[in-house]
């Protein structure tokens, strides 16, 4: 648990939980990487809280970082990020007919479920 506290301290000190509103529509390798790292940490925070019974250390109310987009890692690393973004619907999900679940698809869904879990934990406090 001490390492988890350290991860949260580093996360907030480097600002992974904060994203300027002007950056919300920006899509780049750096933005997606930041969003994916934060989504992973945010989800893990809720899992730890559920199993230990301790309150979450990260709160959605104090975070402005958006969910990662449903984009394949290959598209981000190869520079085809613009083509991948064109396939997304208005909610950030891949809407192409030949869509496959990507690692980001699962991460995005888990982060959404973590938000629901956080709301349940608030009720239980």
């Amino acid at each position: 648990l001490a390492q988890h506290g350290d991860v949260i301290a580093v996360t907030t000190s480097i600002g992974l939980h904060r994203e300027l509103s002007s950056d919300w529509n920006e899509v780049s390798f750096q933005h997606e990487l930041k969003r994916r790292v934060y989504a992973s940490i945010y989800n893990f925070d809720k899992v730890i809280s559920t199993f230990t019974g301790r309150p979450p250390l990260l709160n959605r109310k104090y975070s402005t970082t958006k969910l990662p987009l449903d984009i394949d890692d290959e598209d981000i690393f190869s520079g085809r990020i613009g083509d991948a973004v064109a396939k997304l619907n208005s909610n950030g999900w891949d809407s192409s007919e030949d869509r496959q679940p990507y690692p980001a698809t699962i991460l995005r869904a888990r982060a959404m479920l973590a938000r629901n879990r956080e709301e349940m934990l608030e009720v239980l406090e």
Side-chain angles (χ1 to χ4, degrees), residues 56-120:
L57 298 176
L58 291 173
N59 191 307
R60 71 189 181 289
K61 296 175 188 172
Y62 304 109
S63 171
T64 57
T65 300
K66 296 294 182 190
L67 290 169
L69 298 173
D70 188 18
I71 299 174
D72 188 14
D73 297 344
E74 294 285 325
D75 291 330
I76 293 174
F77 294 126
S78 66
R80 296 186 309 250
I81 197 165
D83 296 337
V85 170
K87 297 178 187 177
L88 300 178
N89 65 18
S90 61
N91 294 322
W93 293 102
D94 185 350
S95 59
S96 60
E97 290 183 24
D98 61 337
R99 86 170 301 307
Q100 298 289 322
Y102 310 120
T105 308
I106 296 164
L107 177 62
R108 183 179 168 87
R110 285 184 177 164
M112 293 172 79
L113 289 171
R115 288 180 179 174
N116 293 337
R117 184 179 292 198
E118 182 178 353
E119 290 176 13
M120 287 187 277

Short mmCIF file of all heavy atoms in Angstrom, two decimals, residues 56-120:
data_model
loop_
_atom_site.label_atom_id
_atom_site.label_comp_id
_atom_site.label_asym_id
_atom_site.label_seq_id
_atom_site.Cartn_x
_atom_site.Cartn_y
_atom_site.Cartn_z
N PRO A 56 -10.75 5.99 -1.70
CA PRO A 56 -9.87 6.20 -2.86
C PRO A 56 -8.98 7.43 -2.65
O PRO A 56 -9.39 8.39 -2.00
CB PRO A 56 -10.83 6.43 -4.02
CG PRO A 56 -12.16 5.96 -3.55
CD PRO A 56 -12.16 6.05 -2.07
N LEU A 57 -7.80 7.39 -3.21
CA LEU A 57 -6.88 8.52 -3.09
C LEU A 57 -7.06 9.52 -4.24
O LEU A 57 -6.67 10.67 -4.12
CB LEU A 57 -5.43 8.03 -3.05
CG LEU A 57 -5.09 7.13 -1.85
CD1 LEU A 57 -3.66 6.61 -1.97
CD2 LEU A 57 -5.31 7.86 -0.55
N LEU A 58 -7.62 9.05 -5.36
CA LEU A 58 -7.92 9.94 -6.49
C LEU A 58 -9.43 10.12 -6.57
O LEU A 58 -10.18 9.17 -6.37
CB LEU A 58 -7.42 9.34 -7.81
CG LEU A 58 -5.91 9.26 -7.99
CD1 LEU A 58 -5.58 8.49 -9.26
CD2 LEU A 58 -5.30 10.64 -8.04
N ASN A 59 -9.84 11.33 -6.89
CA ASN A 59 -11.27 11.62 -6.97
C ASN A 59 -11.58 12.25 -8.31
O ASN A 59 -10.89 13.18 -8.73
CB ASN A 59 -11.67 12.56 -5.82
CG ASN A 59 -13.16 12.68 -5.69
OD1 ASN A 59 -13.87 12.97 -6.64
ND2 ASN A 59 -13.65 12.45 -4.47
N ARG A 60 -12.62 11.76 -8.96
CA ARG A 60 -13.00 12.27 -10.28
C ARG A 60 -13.35 13.75 -10.25
O ARG A 60 -13.25 14.44 -11.25
CB ARG A 60 -14.15 11.44 -10.85
CG ARG A 60 -15.47 11.67 -10.15
CD ARG A 60 -16.56 10.72 -10.56
NE ARG A 60 -17.80 11.01 -9.87
CZ ARG A 60 -18.01 10.79 -8.58
NH1 ARG A 60 -17.07 10.28 -7.84
NH2 ARG A 60 -19.17 11.09 -8.03
N LYS A 61 -13.80 14.25 -9.11
CA LYS A 61 -14.19 15.65 -8.99
C LYS A 61 -13.00 16.59 -9.15
O LYS A 61 -13.18 17.75 -9.50
CB LYS A 61 -14.85 15.90 -7.64
CG LYS A 61 -16.15 15.16 -7.44
CD LYS A 61 -16.69 15.35 -6.04
CE LYS A 61 -17.89 14.46 -5.80
NZ LYS A 61 -18.31 14.49 -4.40
N TYR A 62 -11.82 16.08 -8.87
CA TYR A 62 -10.61 16.91 -8.94
C TYR A 62 -9.73 16.55 -10.13
O TYR A 62 -8.58 16.95 -10.21
CB TYR A 62 -9.81 16.80 -7.64
CG TYR A 62 -10.65 17.15 -6.45
CD1 TYR A 62 -11.06 16.17 -5.55
CD2 TYR A 62 -11.07 18.46 -6.24
CE1 TYR A 62 -11.86 16.49 -4.46
CE2 TYR A 62 -11.87 18.78 -5.15
CZ TYR A 62 -12.25 17.79 -4.27
OH TYR A 62 -13.04 18.12 -3.20
N SER A 63 -10.29 15.80 -11.05
CA SER A 63 -9.55 15.40 -12.24
C SER A 63 -10.23 15.95 -13.48
O SER A 63 -11.44 15.88 -13.62
CB SER A 63 -9.50 13.87 -12.32
OG SER A 63 -8.97 13.48 -13.56
N THR A 64 -9.43 16.46 -14.38
CA THR A 64 -9.97 16.95 -15.65
C THR A 64 -9.41 16.16 -16.84
O THR A 64 -9.71 16.49 -17.98
CB THR A 64 -9.64 18.45 -15.84
OG1 THR A 64 -8.22 18.63 -15.75
CG2 THR A 64 -10.33 19.29 -14.79
N THR A 65 -8.64 15.15 -16.58
CA THR A 65 -8.08 14.32 -17.65
C THR A 65 -9.18 13.47 -18.25
O THR A 65 -9.91 12.78 -17.55
CB THR A 65 -6.94 13.43 -17.13
OG1 THR A 65 -5.91 14.27 -16.60
CG2 THR A 65 -6.35 12.57 -18.23
N LYS A 66 -9.31 13.53 -19.56
CA LYS A 66 -10.34 12.78 -20.28
C LYS A 66 -9.95 11.31 -20.43
O LYS A 66 -8.78 10.95 -20.27
CB LYS A 66 -10.57 13.39 -21.66
CG LYS A 66 -11.10 14.81 -21.61
CD LYS A 66 -12.47 14.82 -21.03
CE LYS A 66 -13.06 16.20 -21.00
NZ LYS A 66 -14.29 16.26 -20.24
N LEU A 67 -10.92 10.51 -20.77
CA LEU A 67 -10.67 9.10 -21.03
C LEU A 67 -9.80 8.95 -22.28
O LEU A 67 -9.89 9.77 -23.21
CB LEU A 67 -11.99 8.37 -21.28
CG LEU A 67 -12.92 8.18 -20.09
CD1 LEU A 67 -14.27 7.68 -20.57
CD2 LEU A 67 -12.31 7.22 -19.10
N PRO A 68 -8.99 7.90 -22.33
CA PRO A 68 -8.24 7.66 -23.57
C PRO A 68 -9.21 7.32 -24.69
O PRO A 68 -10.30 6.79 -24.44
CB PRO A 68 -7.34 6.48 -23.22
CG PRO A 68 -7.97 5.84 -22.05
CD PRO A 68 -8.73 6.90 -21.32
N LEU A 69 -8.83 7.63 -25.90
CA LEU A 69 -9.68 7.33 -27.05
C LEU A 69 -9.54 5.86 -27.43
O LEU A 69 -8.54 5.21 -27.13
CB LEU A 69 -9.31 8.23 -28.22
CG LEU A 69 -9.51 9.72 -27.98
CD1 LEU A 69 -8.95 10.52 -29.14
CD2 LEU A 69 -10.98 10.05 -27.75
N ASP A 70 -10.53 5.34 -28.10
CA ASP A 70 -10.56 3.94 -28.53
C ASP A 70 -9.76 3.81 -29.83
O ASP A 70 -10.32 3.63 -30.91
CB ASP A 70 -12.02 3.51 -28.72
CG ASP A 70 -12.16 2.03 -28.98
OD1 ASP A 70 -11.22 1.27 -28.69
OD2 ASP A 70 -13.24 1.63 -29.47
N ILE A 71 -8.45 3.92 -29.68
CA ILE A 71 -7.53 3.90 -30.83
C ILE A 71 -6.51 2.78 -30.62
O ILE A 71 -6.02 2.59 -29.50
CB ILE A 71 -6.78 5.24 -30.96
CG1 ILE A 71 -7.78 6.38 -31.20
CG2 ILE A 71 -5.75 5.19 -32.07
CD1 ILE A 71 -7.13 7.75 -31.20
N ASP A 72 -6.20 2.08 -31.68
CA ASP A 72 -5.21 1.01 -31.62
C ASP A 72 -3.83 1.59 -31.35
O ASP A 72 -3.47 2.66 -31.87
CB ASP A 72 -5.23 0.24 -32.94
CG ASP A 72 -4.37 -1.01 -32.91
OD1 ASP A 72 -3.97 -1.45 -31.81
OD2 ASP A 72 -4.10 -1.56 -33.98
N ASP A 73 -3.03 0.87 -30.58
CA ASP A 73 -1.67 1.30 -30.28
C ASP A 73 -0.84 1.46 -31.55
O ASP A 73 -0.02 2.37 -31.66
CB ASP A 73 -0.98 0.29 -29.36
CG ASP A 73 -1.64 0.17 -28.01
OD1 ASP A 73 -2.44 1.07 -27.65
OD2 ASP A 73 -1.36 -0.82 -27.30
N GLU A 74 -1.06 0.56 -32.50
CA GLU A 74 -0.32 0.62 -33.77
C GLU A 74 -0.53 1.95 -34.48
O GLU A 74 0.39 2.51 -35.05
CB GLU A 74 -0.76 -0.53 -34.69
CG GLU A 74 -0.41 -1.90 -34.20
CD GLU A 74 1.07 -2.21 -34.38
OE1 GLU A 74 1.65 -1.75 -35.39
OE2 GLU A 74 1.63 -2.89 -33.52
N ASP A 75 -1.75 2.46 -34.44
CA ASP A 75 -2.05 3.73 -35.10
C ASP A 75 -1.34 4.89 -34.42
O ASP A 75 -0.91 5.84 -35.08
CB ASP A 75 -3.56 3.98 -35.13
CG ASP A 75 -4.29 3.02 -36.03
OD1 ASP A 75 -3.69 2.57 -37.03
OD2 ASP A 75 -5.45 2.70 -35.73
N ILE A 76 -1.22 4.83 -33.11
CA ILE A 76 -0.55 5.91 -32.39
C ILE A 76 0.95 5.89 -32.66
O ILE A 76 1.55 6.91 -32.94
CB ILE A 76 -0.84 5.80 -30.88
CG1 ILE A 76 -2.31 6.07 -30.61
CG2 ILE A 76 0.04 6.75 -30.08
CD1 ILE A 76 -2.72 5.85 -29.19
N PHE A 77 1.55 4.70 -32.57
CA PHE A 77 3.00 4.60 -32.73
C PHE A 77 3.46 4.78 -34.17
O PHE A 77 4.57 5.21 -34.41
CB PHE A 77 3.50 3.26 -32.18
CG PHE A 77 3.34 3.13 -30.70
CD1 PHE A 77 2.67 2.04 -30.16
CD2 PHE A 77 3.84 4.08 -29.84
CE1 PHE A 77 2.52 1.92 -28.80
CE2 PHE A 77 3.70 3.97 -28.47
CZ PHE A 77 3.03 2.89 -27.95
N SER A 78 2.59 4.47 -35.13
CA SER A 78 3.00 4.56 -36.53
C SER A 78 2.72 5.93 -37.15
O SER A 78 3.05 6.16 -38.29
CB SER A 78 2.29 3.48 -37.35
OG SER A 78 0.91 3.74 -37.38
N GLY A 79 2.06 6.80 -36.39
CA GLY A 79 1.77 8.13 -36.92
C GLY A 79 0.47 8.21 -37.69
O GLY A 79 0.19 9.22 -38.32
N ARG A 80 -0.34 7.15 -37.65
CA ARG A 80 -1.64 7.16 -38.34
C ARG A 80 -2.76 7.58 -37.40
O ARG A 80 -3.91 7.19 -37.58
CB ARG A 80 -1.94 5.76 -38.91
CG ARG A 80 -0.97 5.29 -39.97
CD ARG A 80 -1.43 3.97 -40.56
NE ARG A 80 -1.74 2.98 -39.55
CZ ARG A 80 -1.02 1.89 -39.30
NH1 ARG A 80 0.06 1.64 -39.98
NH2 ARG A 80 -1.38 1.04 -38.35
N ILE A 81 -2.43 8.36 -36.43
CA ILE A 81 -3.40 8.73 -35.40
C ILE A 81 -4.57 9.52 -35.99
O ILE A 81 -5.71 9.36 -35.57
CB ILE A 81 -2.73 9.48 -34.24
CG1 ILE A 81 -3.63 9.49 -33.01
CG2 ILE A 81 -2.30 10.86 -34.64
CD1 ILE A 81 -2.92 9.87 -31.75
N GLY A 82 -4.30 10.34 -36.99
CA GLY A 82 -5.37 11.12 -37.64
C GLY A 82 -6.39 10.24 -38.31
O GLY A 82 -7.60 10.51 -38.24
N ASP A 83 -5.94 9.18 -38.99
CA ASP A 83 -6.85 8.24 -39.63
C ASP A 83 -7.71 7.51 -38.60
O ASP A 83 -8.90 7.28 -38.81
CB ASP A 83 -6.08 7.22 -40.47
CG ASP A 83 -5.32 7.86 -41.62
OD1 ASP A 83 -5.73 8.96 -42.04
OD2 ASP A 83 -4.33 7.26 -42.08
N ALA A 84 -7.09 7.16 -37.47
CA ALA A 84 -7.82 6.45 -36.41
C ALA A 84 -8.87 7.34 -35.78
O ALA A 84 -9.97 6.89 -35.48
CB ALA A 84 -6.84 5.94 -35.36
N VAL A 85 -8.54 8.61 -35.57
CA VAL A 85 -9.49 9.55 -34.97
C VAL A 85 -10.70 9.74 -35.88
O VAL A 85 -11.83 9.91 -35.41
CB VAL A 85 -8.80 10.89 -34.66
CG1 VAL A 85 -9.80 11.96 -34.27
CG2 VAL A 85 -7.77 10.71 -33.57
N ALA A 86 -10.49 9.68 -37.19
CA ALA A 86 -11.59 9.85 -38.14
C ALA A 86 -12.63 8.74 -38.01
O ALA A 86 -13.79 8.93 -38.37
CB ALA A 86 -11.05 9.89 -39.56
N LYS A 87 -12.25 7.58 -37.47
CA LYS A 87 -13.17 6.45 -37.30
C LYS A 87 -13.97 6.52 -36.00
O LYS A 87 -14.86 5.72 -35.78
CB LYS A 87 -12.38 5.14 -37.29
CG LYS A 87 -11.66 4.83 -38.57
CD LYS A 87 -10.89 3.54 -38.40
CE LYS A 87 -10.00 3.25 -39.59
NZ LYS A 87 -9.20 2.03 -39.37
N LEU A 88 -13.64 7.47 -35.13
CA LEU A 88 -14.29 7.55 -33.82
C LEU A 88 -15.64 8.26 -33.91
O LEU A 88 -15.82 9.18 -34.70
CB LEU A 88 -13.41 8.30 -32.83
CG LEU A 88 -12.03 7.71 -32.56
CD1 LEU A 88 -11.26 8.60 -31.59
CD2 LEU A 88 -12.12 6.29 -32.05
N ASN A 89 -16.57 7.84 -33.06
CA ASN A 89 -17.84 8.55 -32.97
C ASN A 89 -17.69 9.72 -32.00
O ASN A 89 -16.60 9.96 -31.48
CB ASN A 89 -18.98 7.61 -32.57
CG ASN A 89 -18.82 7.03 -31.17
OD1 ASN A 89 -18.08 7.53 -30.33
ND2 ASN A 89 -19.54 5.95 -30.92
N SER A 90 -18.74 10.42 -31.72
CA SER A 90 -18.65 11.62 -30.88
C SER A 90 -18.30 11.31 -29.42
O SER A 90 -17.88 12.20 -28.69
CB SER A 90 -19.96 12.40 -30.94
OG SER A 90 -21.02 11.59 -30.45
N ASN A 91 -18.45 10.06 -29.01
CA ASN A 91 -18.11 9.67 -27.65
C ASN A 91 -16.71 9.10 -27.51
O ASN A 91 -16.33 8.67 -26.43
CB ASN A 91 -19.13 8.65 -27.12
CG ASN A 91 -20.50 9.24 -26.96
OD1 ASN A 91 -20.64 10.40 -26.56
ND2 ASN A 91 -21.51 8.48 -27.30
N GLY A 92 -15.97 9.05 -28.60
CA GLY A 92 -14.59 8.56 -28.55
C GLY A 92 -14.42 7.07 -28.78
O GLY A 92 -13.33 6.54 -28.61
N TRP A 93 -15.48 6.39 -29.20
CA TRP A 93 -15.42 4.96 -29.48
C TRP A 93 -15.22 4.72 -30.97
O TRP A 93 -15.74 5.45 -31.80
CB TRP A 93 -16.71 4.26 -29.04
CG TRP A 93 -16.90 4.25 -27.56
CD1 TRP A 93 -17.72 5.07 -26.85
CD2 TRP A 93 -16.28 3.40 -26.61
NE1 TRP A 93 -17.64 4.77 -25.52
CE2 TRP A 93 -16.76 3.75 -25.34
CE3 TRP A 93 -15.33 2.37 -26.70
CZ2 TRP A 93 -16.34 3.11 -24.17
CZ3 TRP A 93 -14.93 1.74 -25.54
CH2 TRP A 93 -15.44 2.10 -24.29
N ASP A 94 -14.49 3.68 -31.30
CA ASP A 94 -14.27 3.30 -32.69
C ASP A 94 -15.59 2.82 -33.27
O ASP A 94 -16.21 1.90 -32.75
CB ASP A 94 -13.22 2.19 -32.77
CG ASP A 94 -12.84 1.83 -34.19
OD1 ASP A 94 -13.50 2.30 -35.13
OD2 ASP A 94 -11.87 1.08 -34.36
N SER A 95 -16.03 3.46 -34.33
CA SER A 95 -17.32 3.10 -34.93
C SER A 95 -17.18 2.46 -36.30
O SER A 95 -18.15 2.33 -37.02
CB SER A 95 -18.20 4.36 -35.04
OG SER A 95 -17.56 5.33 -35.83
N SER A 96 -15.97 2.03 -36.66
CA SER A 96 -15.78 1.40 -37.96
C SER A 96 -16.40 0.00 -37.97
O SER A 96 -16.57 -0.63 -36.92
CB SER A 96 -14.29 1.32 -38.31
OG SER A 96 -13.60 0.56 -37.35
N GLU A 97 -16.74 -0.47 -39.15
CA GLU A 97 -17.40 -1.77 -39.28
C GLU A 97 -16.48 -2.93 -38.94
O GLU A 97 -16.92 -3.97 -38.47
CB GLU A 97 -17.94 -1.93 -40.69
CG GLU A 97 -19.11 -1.01 -40.98
CD GLU A 97 -19.68 -1.24 -42.36
OE1 GLU A 97 -19.51 -2.33 -42.92
OE2 GLU A 97 -20.30 -0.30 -42.88
N ASP A 98 -15.19 -2.79 -39.19
CA ASP A 98 -14.24 -3.87 -38.95
C ASP A 98 -13.52 -3.72 -37.61
O ASP A 98 -12.44 -4.24 -37.42
CB ASP A 98 -13.22 -3.94 -40.09
CG ASP A 98 -12.40 -2.66 -40.20
OD1 ASP A 98 -12.87 -1.59 -39.74
OD2 ASP A 98 -11.28 -2.73 -40.73
N ARG A 99 -14.16 -3.04 -36.68
CA ARG A 99 -13.50 -2.73 -35.41
C ARG A 99 -13.15 -3.98 -34.63
O ARG A 99 -13.87 -4.96 -34.64
CB ARG A 99 -14.35 -1.78 -34.59
CG ARG A 99 -15.40 -2.43 -33.72
CD ARG A 99 -16.09 -1.52 -32.74
NE ARG A 99 -15.38 -0.80 -31.74
CZ ARG A 99 -14.53 -1.28 -30.85
NH1 ARG A 99 -14.18 -2.53 -30.87
NH2 ARG A 99 -14.01 -0.51 -29.93
N GLN A 100 -12.02 -3.90 -33.96
CA GLN A 100 -11.55 -4.94 -33.06
C GLN A 100 -11.36 -4.31 -31.69
O GLN A 100 -11.05 -3.14 -31.60
CB GLN A 100 -10.20 -5.48 -33.55
CG GLN A 100 -10.24 -6.14 -34.91
CD GLN A 100 -10.96 -7.47 -34.85
OE1 GLN A 100 -10.84 -8.22 -33.90
NE2 GLN A 100 -11.74 -7.76 -35.89
N PRO A 101 -11.54 -5.07 -30.62
CA PRO A 101 -11.25 -4.48 -29.31
C PRO A 101 -9.74 -4.31 -29.17
O PRO A 101 -8.97 -5.24 -29.39
CB PRO A 101 -11.80 -5.50 -28.32
CG PRO A 101 -11.99 -6.76 -29.07
CD PRO A 101 -12.11 -6.40 -30.52
N TYR A 102 -9.34 -3.11 -28.85
CA TYR A 102 -7.93 -2.78 -28.65
C TYR A 102 -7.62 -2.78 -27.16
O TYR A 102 -8.55 -2.74 -26.34
CB TYR A 102 -7.62 -1.39 -29.22
CG TYR A 102 -8.10 -1.16 -30.63
CD1 TYR A 102 -8.99 -0.15 -30.92
CD2 TYR A 102 -7.66 -1.96 -31.67
CE1 TYR A 102 -9.43 0.09 -32.21
CE2 TYR A 102 -8.09 -1.75 -32.98
CZ TYR A 102 -8.97 -0.72 -33.23
OH TYR A 102 -9.41 -0.50 -34.51
N PRO A 103 -6.36 -2.77 -26.79
CA PRO A 103 -6.04 -2.60 -25.36
C PRO A 103 -6.67 -1.33 -24.80
O PRO A 103 -7.14 -1.32 -23.65
CB PRO A 103 -4.51 -2.54 -25.35
CG PRO A 103 -4.09 -3.33 -26.55
CD PRO A 103 -5.16 -3.05 -27.58
N ALA A 104 -6.72 -0.27 -25.59
CA ALA A 104 -7.32 0.98 -25.12
C ALA A 104 -8.82 0.85 -24.93
O ALA A 104 -9.41 1.54 -24.09
CB ALA A 104 -7.02 2.11 -26.11
N THR A 105 -9.47 -0.05 -25.68
CA THR A 105 -10.90 -0.28 -25.52
C THR A 105 -11.19 -0.80 -24.12
O THR A 105 -12.09 -0.31 -23.43
CB THR A 105 -11.40 -1.31 -26.56
OG1 THR A 105 -10.99 -0.90 -27.87
CG2 THR A 105 -12.90 -1.47 -26.50
N ILE A 106 -10.41 -1.77 -23.71
CA ILE A 106 -10.59 -2.37 -22.39
C ILE A 106 -10.22 -1.37 -21.29
O ILE A 106 -10.93 -1.24 -20.30
CB ILE A 106 -9.75 -3.66 -22.28
CG1 ILE A 106 -10.30 -4.68 -23.30
CG2 ILE A 106 -9.76 -4.22 -20.87
CD1 ILE A 106 -9.40 -5.83 -23.60
N LEU A 107 -9.13 -0.65 -21.48
CA LEU A 107 -8.72 0.36 -20.51
C LEU A 107 -9.78 1.44 -20.35
O LEU A 107 -10.12 1.84 -19.24
CB LEU A 107 -7.39 0.98 -20.93
CG LEU A 107 -6.85 2.10 -20.06
CD1 LEU A 107 -6.58 1.61 -18.64
CD2 LEU A 107 -5.58 2.68 -20.67
N ARG A 108 -10.32 1.88 -21.45
CA ARG A 108 -11.37 2.91 -21.44
C ARG A 108 -12.61 2.41 -20.69
O ARG A 108 -13.19 3.12 -19.86
CB ARG A 108 -11.70 3.28 -22.88
CG ARG A 108 -12.70 4.37 -23.07
CD ARG A 108 -12.88 4.62 -24.57
NE ARG A 108 -14.02 5.45 -24.83
CZ ARG A 108 -14.01 6.77 -24.84
NH1 ARG A 108 -12.89 7.41 -24.61
NH2 ARG A 108 -15.09 7.45 -25.08
N ALA A 109 -13.01 1.19 -20.97
CA ALA A 109 -14.19 0.61 -20.30
C ALA A 109 -13.93 0.44 -18.81
O ALA A 109 -14.80 0.74 -17.98
CB ALA A 109 -14.54 -0.73 -20.94
N ARG A 110 -12.74 0.01 -18.44
CA ARG A 110 -12.41 -0.15 -17.02
C ARG A 110 -12.40 1.19 -16.30
O ARG A 110 -12.82 1.27 -15.15
CB ARG A 110 -11.06 -0.84 -16.87
CG ARG A 110 -11.12 -2.31 -17.15
CD ARG A 110 -9.81 -2.99 -16.90
NE ARG A 110 -9.95 -4.41 -17.11
CZ ARG A 110 -8.94 -5.24 -17.26
NH1 ARG A 110 -7.71 -4.78 -17.21
NH2 ARG A 110 -9.14 -6.52 -17.44
N ALA A 111 -11.92 2.22 -16.96
CA ALA A 111 -11.91 3.55 -16.34
C ALA A 111 -13.34 4.05 -16.14
O ALA A 111 -13.65 4.69 -15.12
CB ALA A 111 -11.11 4.53 -17.20
N MET A 112 -14.21 3.75 -17.08
CA MET A 112 -15.62 4.14 -16.93
C MET A 112 -16.26 3.38 -15.77
O MET A 112 -17.02 3.95 -14.98
CB MET A 112 -16.37 3.88 -18.24
CG MET A 112 -15.93 4.78 -19.36
SD MET A 112 -16.65 4.34 -20.94
CE MET A 112 -18.26 5.07 -20.75
N LEU A 113 -15.95 2.10 -15.65
CA LEU A 113 -16.47 1.32 -14.53
C LEU A 113 -15.88 1.80 -13.21
O LEU A 113 -16.56 1.77 -12.17
CB LEU A 113 -16.17 -0.17 -14.74
CG LEU A 113 -16.97 -0.84 -15.84
CD1 LEU A 113 -16.44 -2.25 -16.11
CD2 LEU A 113 -18.44 -0.89 -15.48
N ALA A 114 -14.63 2.25 -13.23
CA ALA A 114 -14.00 2.77 -12.02
C ALA A 114 -14.72 4.02 -11.53
O ALA A 114 -14.83 4.25 -10.32
CB ALA A 114 -12.52 3.07 -12.27
N ARG A 115 -15.21 4.83 -12.45
CA ARG A 115 -16.00 6.00 -12.05
C ARG A 115 -17.26 5.56 -11.31
O ARG A 115 -17.63 6.14 -10.29
CB ARG A 115 -16.38 6.84 -13.26
CG ARG A 115 -15.22 7.60 -13.85
CD ARG A 115 -15.66 8.41 -15.04
NE ARG A 115 -14.54 9.16 -15.59
CZ ARG A 115 -14.61 9.86 -16.69
NH1 ARG A 115 -15.74 9.93 -17.38
NH2 ARG A 115 -13.55 10.52 -17.13
N ASN A 116 -17.92 4.53 -11.82
CA ASN A 116 -19.11 4.00 -11.15
C ASN A 116 -18.74 3.41 -9.79
O ASN A 116 -19.47 3.59 -8.81
CB ASN A 116 -19.80 2.94 -12.01
CG ASN A 116 -20.38 3.53 -13.27
OD1 ASN A 116 -20.66 4.71 -13.35
ND2 ASN A 116 -20.55 2.69 -14.28
N ARG A 117 -17.62 2.72 -9.74
CA ARG A 117 -17.17 2.14 -8.48
C ARG A 117 -16.89 3.23 -7.45
O ARG A 117 -17.21 3.09 -6.28
CB ARG A 117 -15.92 1.31 -8.73
CG ARG A 117 -15.42 0.58 -7.49
CD ARG A 117 -14.21 -0.23 -7.81
NE ARG A 117 -14.59 -1.33 -8.69
CZ ARG A 117 -13.84 -2.42 -8.87
NH1 ARG A 117 -12.71 -2.55 -8.23
NH2 ARG A 117 -14.24 -3.37 -9.67
N GLU A 118 -16.31 4.33 -7.92
CA GLU A 118 -16.02 5.45 -7.03
C GLU A 118 -17.33 6.02 -6.45
O GLU A 118 -17.40 6.33 -5.25
CB GLU A 118 -15.26 6.55 -7.74
CG GLU A 118 -14.90 7.72 -6.85
CD GLU A 118 -14.11 8.78 -7.56
OE1 GLU A 118 -13.71 8.60 -8.72
OE2 GLU A 118 -13.90 9.84 -6.94
N GLU A 119 -18.34 6.13 -7.26
CA GLU A 119 -19.63 6.62 -6.78
C GLU A 119 -20.22 5.68 -5.73
O GLU A 119 -20.77 6.13 -4.72
CB GLU A 119 -20.61 6.79 -7.94
CG GLU A 119 -20.25 7.93 -8.87
CD GLU A 119 -21.17 8.04 -10.07
OE1 GLU A 119 -22.25 7.40 -10.06
OE2 GLU A 119 -20.83 8.76 -11.01
N MET A 120 -20.07 4.38 -5.95
CA MET A 120 -20.56 3.41 -4.96
C MET A 120 -19.76 3.51 -3.67
O MET A 120 -20.33 3.42 -2.58
CB MET A 120 -20.50 2.00 -5.54
CG MET A 120 -21.56 1.73 -6.58
SD MET A 120 -21.61 0.01 -7.10
CE MET A 120 -20.30 -0.01 -8.30
#
